[in-house]
Amino acid sequence: MASPYASLAERILANTMISDELFHNGTPCWLWTGARNASGYGKMSMRFKKGPRKGKVKSALAHRVALVEMGGRRLNSKSVVMHLCNNRLCCNPAHLQGGTQRKNVRQCVAEGRHFTPFRKAA
């Protein structure tokens, strides 16, 4: 059965909703309305189109696919996608940035979102 979407970018747009309340740098967040993983990030299923696993289904994170397809970035398996808007469901490529895990954790700590059991609750 053929996909009803012409491209992955079209599929991402069809499965997002523009937020009225959440913004970053004046642009709204695109909230993923599809399935989520255990950590609260949007996920989607895709089929391999070539190679030895042709036809097999794989799971991908929606924000990673959005950055590659609509943001023009190339990501390797060690790259992470940082949400500049601090919203796990956001798929707006203007709110996403590729980077390393170290850079992602430093951003998280700098913005006060990092949880550690050693920090005293105020």
Side-chain angles (χ1 to χ4, degrees), residues 71-115:
R73 279 291 306 252
R74 291 186 59 145
L75 299 173
N76 61 30
S77 60
K78 290 186 178 182
S79 297
V80 298
V81 175
M82 302 187 317
H83 288 86
L84 302 175
C85 58
N86 299 324
N87 185 352
R88 293 179 185 193
L89 291 177
C90 184
C91 292
N92 185 343
H95 298 190
L96 304 173
Q97 175 182 337
T100 62
Q101 182 63 24
R102 176 181 294 218
K103 192 175 176 185
N104 194 25
V105 170
R106 285 187 175 165
Q107 175 200 4
C108 183
V109 170
E111 294 174 1
R113 296 181 297 112
H114 187 263
F115 171 78

Side-chain angles (χ1 to χ4, degrees), residues 10-29:
E10 187 178 311
R11 182 175 172 192
I12 289 170
L13 289 173
N15 286 292
T16 56
M17 173 183 75
I18 296 176
S19 174
D20 294 334
E21 300 153 2
L22 302 170
F23 291 87
H24 175 71
N25 288 343
T27 58
C29 288

